[in-house]
């Protein structure tokens, strides 16, 4: 249960981060790429502090050069996500933006789990998972667009 609470908190943080970074973008002359850079820089400083106090860096430096290329793209993917949220949040709204991000995350997560992509353990995409994904999709669609469809 604790890990699910951490995931829930990460979701809260992502929505908050998008709103904060979009305001930072306005403050730096409507430049979303600069706001994303500042966001990543301050996050990097925090992670550097934690790493220096908690990690075994000699093991890291020994193993790092032996990693395949694809293990290096997590950071750029994260940077693109942050940049995208900074760019889109003020244009489409945090809720609408997150709707599409969540749908994309769920679809990709099911593919990764089902096929064990990126060396992840296989967790089959069962009928119940597809039904659950459909229910989530319908619920999110109603959440975001229900008022437009069912005006009184």
């Amino acid at each position: 249960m604790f890990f699910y609470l951490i995931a829930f908190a990460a979701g809260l943080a992502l929505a908050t981060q998008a709103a904060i970074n979009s305001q930072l973008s306005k403050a730096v002359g409507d430049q979303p790429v600069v706001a994303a850079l500042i966001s990543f820089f301050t996050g990097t400083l925090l992670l550097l502090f934690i790493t220096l106090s908690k990690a075994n860096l000699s093991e890291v430096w020994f193993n790092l050069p032996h990693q395949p290329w694809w293990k290096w793209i997590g950071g750029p993917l994260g940077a693109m996500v942050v940049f995208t949220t900074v760019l889109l949040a003020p244009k489409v709204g945090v809720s609408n933006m997150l709707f599409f991000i969540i749908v994309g995350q769920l679809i990709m997560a099911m593919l990764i789990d089902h096929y064990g992509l990126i060396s992840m353990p296989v967790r089959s995409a069962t009928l119940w998972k597809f039904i659950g994904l459909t229910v989530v999709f319908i619920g999110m669609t109603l959440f975001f667009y229900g008022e437009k469809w069912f005006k009184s």
Side-chain angles (χ1 to χ4, degrees):
M1 183 56 124
F2 179 67
F3 295 119
Y4 294 117
L5 290 173
I6 292 172
F8 179 73
L12 296 174
L14 182 59
T16 306
Q17 178 192 39
I20 290 170
N21 286 344
S22 70
Q23 294 305 308
L24 177 61
S25 178
K26 283 182 185 178
V28 294
D30 285 324
Q31 298 184 72
V33 71
V34 173
L37 176 65
I38 293 168
S39 178
F40 254 73
F41 178 73
T42 57
T44 298
L45 289 177
L46 174 64
L47 289 174
L48 177 63
F49 173 75
I50 294 169
T51 298
L52 292 175
S53 65
K54 300 279 184 190
N56 177 355
L57 291 179
S58 62
E59 183 179 349
V60 171
W61 293 119
F62 177 77
N63 291 322
L64 206 54
H66 308 292
Q67 302 307 309
W69 68 269
W70 58 267
K71 290 186 180 178
W72 293 87
I73 63 172
L77 287 172
M80 291 309 300
V81 168
V82 169
F83 171 70
T84 300
T85 64
V86 175
L87 179 70
L88 295 180
K91 294 181 180 353
V92 300
V94 175
S95 295
N96 290 331
M97 174 199 68
L98 285 177
F99 169 77
F100 289 100
I101 288 175
I102 291 167
V103 169
Q105 285 177 318
L106 289 172
I107 290 169
M108 193 64 204
M110 281 187 64
L111 288 170
I112 290 170
D113 282 349
H114 183 73
Y115 293 107
L117 301 175
I118 316 171
S119 301
M120 295 300 292
V122 173
R123 292 179 176 91
S124 296
T126 64
L127 175 63
W128 290 109
K129 290 181 181 178
F130 280 107
I131 291 170
L133 182 62
T134 302
V135 169
V136 168
F137 183 76
I138 290 168
M140 291 173 61
T141 302
L142 289 172
F143 179 85
F144 293 111
Y145 304 109
E147 290 178 2
K148 292 178 185 175
W149 294 342
F150 303 105
K151 290 184 181 177
S152 324

